[in-house]
Amino acid sequence: MPDLVVVVPGIMGSVLKRGNRVVWDTSVVTAARGILDFQTVVSALALPERLGDDAPDPAHVLEPAGLLRGWHLMPGAGSGRGYLGMVKQLRLLGPEPLRVAEFAYDWRLSNRYTARRLKRFTESALEQWQDTRRDPDARVVFVCHSMGGLVARHYVNQLGGHELCRRVITIGTPYSGSVNTVRTLTGGSWMPDRLVAAARTMPALHQLLPSFACVRTPQGPATLAAAPLPGIEPWMAADAADLHEQGHTRHGTPLHVFAGWRHNTRAGVEITPDGFDYRWTWPKTGAQGVVAERDLSGDGTVPRFAAIPPEWADDTAVAYRPVRHSEQPEDPDLVQSVWAKIENLTPQTFMDTDTDLGVDIPEYVPPGEPVVVRARAGAPDLKVVVTATSLRSPTDAQTAEADPDGAGGYLARLALGPGVWHVAVRVVGQPSASGDLVLVG
């Protein structure tokens, strides 16, 4: 008999409301109204300081109202494409659409608190599914993107969820955190101060801090707990490391991991006289000190090694695809392979090819400056095309062919007007593309 499938989104992936007023939704963000409106939105998201793992007071409560269905962007903190494609495809693949349930949650709050909410949701939804199917042996399969994987793992391994769970499937989950979170909480991005202050009140964001040695010091790589950075208190880093440690598999529940690669991904940070220097590579040390710089490319948000459960000895069981973090839930090949895991089928094999692209797309470009897009692949003679489409007016689009950059990659420059644009990069003759959002202005 079929199991219930529960989709658990990542951070910023759920609609949030206060009463009848929408506080966070795709329509709010993609309206491209400018930084001041972003500040207004994020001010409404701010929480009391040091909230911990508890629920907020009534003045700060927001109610989840479904998964986001389209592109969303929080300046300096990240973007995502929503979950409409994933949910729709999963329902089309299965013979029973009601088999797929959506768990929306307040993504500002502690993952531990959300895991308790997931426990109540799962117990209720699974009981209804078992009654509908007249099958008391039906279980739940979690399909999780990004931070959603941390929530589901905590429920399964710490709150008794293993008794109801058949398997956990994660996509782009930062098992050891993301350096992009360091950039957000320290104000090391172009994120306005008001937004940084609001972000620092969100427990869940702190729990995405790296638990690996991400700080480059004169003595070598160190953890945030050992080498705290301005704007990040040691207890924040310790709490993130504790959550990651608590997630380790304890009860033998099967875990299937999908991760991204090929895209430049921040893997470390160093304090310099000019501020913060973010590294795309990380030193490999030997008896004589640093002997090489390791390429730690991932999905643009999570380094490849951080997308692997830390209790795993290696990544031989990980399925890699060259898909950026924001677009993973919408990638049809990836979702098809997720379905194969749900049904315990043999999934497609993930193989590196010369036409797989890793792309670098800036998050923000000041008005009047060109949007510089870079791509890399395994072949030097591909025809690479870059297309930018305005989210305000989809008929407003530009296309340019990327030229070889002389270093084995490809480069294109686009002159885009103010607003939010989706930039997609593809190899001519190949069906798939890789892309992300850029805010101009």
Side-chain angles (χ1 to χ4, degrees), residues 16-89:
L16 300 180
K17 300 177 71 174
R18 177 171 288 135
N20 295 324
R21 183 170 66 91
V22 174
V23 173
W24 177 260
D25 191 3
T26 302
S27 61
V28 174
V29 182
T30 58
R33 301 170 185 170
I35 293 297
L36 289 178
D37 273 3
F38 281 120
Q39 291 177 329
T40 301
V41 169
V42 176
S43 293
L45 296 173
L47 290 162
E49 294 184 2
R50 290 181 172 267
L51 180 60
D53 297 328
D54 299 323
D57 61 84
H60 293 89
V61 168
L62 297 178
E63 293 298 331
L67 307 191
L68 282 178
R69 295 311 210 219
W71 275 107
H72 52 280
L73 169 70
M74 183 184 289
S79 63
R81 197 165 183 171
Y83 297 90
L84 175 62
M86 169 181 279
V87 172
K88 184 176 181 180
Q89 187 173 352

Side-chain angles (χ1 to χ4, degrees), residues 84-105:
L84 175 62
M86 169 181 279
V87 172
K88 184 176 181 180
Q89 187 173 352
L90 288 176
R91 285 177 172 157
L92 288 173
L93 287 167
E96 301 176 68
L98 293 179
R99 180 183 178 186
V100 180
E102 305 172 31
F103 175 67
Y105 62 94

Side-chain angles (χ1 to χ4, degrees), residues 20-252:
N20 295 324
R21 183 170 66 91
V22 174
V23 173
W24 177 260
D25 191 3
T26 302
S27 61
V28 174
V29 182
T30 58
R33 301 170 185 170
I35 293 297
L36 289 178
D37 273 3
F38 281 120
Q39 291 177 329
T40 301
V41 169
V42 176
S43 293
L45 296 173
L47 290 162
E49 294 184 2
R50 290 181 172 267
L51 180 60
D53 297 328
D54 299 323
D57 61 84
H60 293 89
V61 168
L62 297 178
E63 293 298 331
L67 307 191
L68 282 178
R69 295 311 210 219
W71 275 107
H72 52 280
L73 169 70
M74 183 184 289
S79 63
R81 197 165 183 171
Y83 297 90
L84 175 62
M86 169 181 279
V87 172
K88 184 176 181 180
Q89 187 173 352
L90 288 176
R91 285 177 172 157
L92 288 173
L93 287 167
E96 301 176 68
L98 293 179
R99 180 183 178 186
V100 180
E102 305 172 31
F103 175 67
Y105 62 94
D106 186 344
W107 43 264
R108 306 171 302 162
L109 305 179
S110 166
N111 284 229
R112 299 184 187 91
Y113 172 82
T114 302
R116 298 197 294 269
R117 295 286 299 264
L118 179 61
K119 174 181 172 66
R120 293 195 292 271
F121 175 90
T122 300
E123 291 173 352
S124 175
L126 182 58
E127 182 179 0
Q128 293 181 36
W129 177 248
Q130 290 172 335
D131 289 344
T132 299
R133 296 291 308 179
R134 294 185 175 87
D135 178 17
D137 294 326
R139 293 293 181 263
V140 65
V141 175
F142 290 111
V143 176
C144 316
H145 179 236
S146 193
M147 189 177 76
L150 301 182
V151 173
R153 285 250 288 174
H154 190 80
Y155 162 54
V156 169
N157 293 314
Q158 295 291 327
L159 303 179
H162 64 284
E163 297 180 354
L164 304 180
C165 181
R166 184 82 65 190
R167 64 188 76 246
V168 177
I169 302 169
T170 66
I171 307 167
T173 289
Y175 287 101
S176 299
S178 169
V179 173
N180 284 12
T181 308
V182 175
R183 189 165 173 258
T184 297
L185 293 175
T186 59
S189 67
W190 52 274
M191 196 170 176
D193 292 343
R194 189 175 176 186
L195 303 189
V196 174
R200 288 175 177 169
T201 68
M202 300 178 185
L205 193 58
H206 297 149
Q207 291 168 342
L208 296 179
L209 285 169
S211 51
F212 58 91
C214 69
V215 184
R216 178 173 281 189
T217 73
Q219 293 75 37
T223 64
L224 284 166
L229 300 176
I232 298 179
E233 297 182 39
W235 70 268
M236 298 179 184
D239 182 66
D242 182 60
L243 178 76
H244 301 165
E245 180 69 25
Q246 289 176 348
H248 289 196
T249 300
R250 300 173 54 200
H251 303 288

Side-chain angles (χ1 to χ4, degrees), residues 4 191 212 214 248 257 270 302 315 317 325 342 344 358 394 427 429:
L4 177 70
M191 196 170 176
F212 58 91
C214 69
H248 289 196
V257 176
E270 181 178 7
V302 183
D315 66 348
H325 191 82
I342 292 172
N344 202 26
V427 175

Side-chain angles (χ1 to χ4, degrees), residues 261-262 320 322 350-356 378:
W261 77 301
R262 266 204 183 278
Y320 289 104
F350 289 78
M351 299 294 290
D352 178 26
T353 71
D354 288 343
T355 59
D356 285 343

